[in-house]
Amino acid sequence: MLPAYIPNSMAAVFGGGRPIDGGRVLKDGRRILGDGKTFRGLFAGIACGVLLGLLQMFLLNPVSELLHISLPSFSGSGSTIMVILLSLAVGSLFGDMFKSFFKRRLGMKRGASLPLVDQLDFVLGAWVFTYLSSPGWFTINFTWNIMAVVLIITPLLHLTTNIVGYIVGVKKEPW
Ligand code: CTP
Ligand code: K
Ligand code: MG
């Protein structure tokens, strides 16, 4: 899940500048996505998610040898890994944008809180993209038990990191 988590926090760190919707509004008079979804946040977030995933792949063997534990091994080509990592990272931020689109349609301003949806949008986005691009890998790694654990842990983890983000000043709201 880390390549799906990291894009969100790094979008907040590196985001800013030109909004993805170019400032455009729809017929309802509201922004398509809003100023909280920027190109810089999107691309920096995806890059960080993929880089972290690659780092995890490189550390898999050394860490399992060091700790004398067996971590799940991965038998796939480099391009398979890239497709999986891109799906996790891109899916994460597309889930987040999808959520913003609906928040705007509901008349919610940028940053307005939508409990649980704000905390799980990127998880669902990452899962949908990864399931569609790599169904075999997805079903082996994301069993129902693991998905249940992720759905419970993520909102708690998300709130904790957002409070940190708020304190250090990269987030405007602590949610
Ligand atoms: N961000 C960005 N580009 C993205 C996603 C996030 O620049 N694609 C940055 C923005 O500065 C945003 C911050 O990360 O304010 C926090 O993200 P998020 O909480 O998802 O955005 P909100 O400002 O709350 O906007 P919304 O109401 O649309 O969710
Ligand atoms: K978010
Ligand atoms: Mg928000």
Side-chain angles (χ1 to χ4, degrees), residues 37 96 99-100 103 110-114 118 121 158 162 171 173 175:
K37 307 295 123 156
D96 176 53
K99 181 256 337 242
S100 292
K103 275 168 94 173
R110 172 215 179 152
S113 161
L114 196 54
D118 276 328
D121 52 8
H158 190 259
N162 279 5
K171 283 273 304 172
E173 309 84 17
W175 51 76

Side-chain angles (χ1 to χ4, degrees), residues 9-10 12-13 160-174:
S9 3
M10 290 304 121
V13 172
T160 316
T161 52
N162 279 5
I163 290 169
V164 174
Y166 178 72
I167 293 170
V168 302
V170 299
K171 283 273 304 172
K172 288 190 165 62
E173 309 84 17

Side-chain angles (χ1 to χ4, degrees), residues 83-171:
V83 169
I84 293 167
L85 295 181
L86 277 170
S87 305
L88 288 168
V90 173
S92 157
L93 288 180
F94 270 70
D96 176 53
M97 282 195 282
F98 195 70
K99 181 256 337 242
S100 292
F101 178 83
F102 281 101
K103 275 168 94 173
R104 299 300 89 82
R105 305 289 73 72
L106 292 170
M108 302 177 75
K109 292 222 150 50
R110 172 215 179 152
S113 161
L114 196 54
L116 281 182
V117 179
D118 276 328
Q119 283 85 47
L120 293 173
D121 52 8
F122 58 99
V123 171
L124 298 181
W127 283 350
V128 168
F129 272 52
T130 311
Y131 181 74
L132 292 178
S133 79
S134 323
W137 183 85
F138 185 90
T139 37
I140 289 172
N141 286 276
F142 289 106
T143 59
W144 291 112
N145 284 345
I146 290 189
M147 289 205 278
V149 170
V150 170
L151 289 177
I152 293 166
I153 287 179
T154 305
L156 302 171
L157 214 58
H158 190 259
L159 283 173
T160 316
T161 52
N162 279 5
I163 290 169
V164 174
Y166 178 72
I167 293 170
V168 302
V170 299
K171 283 273 304 172

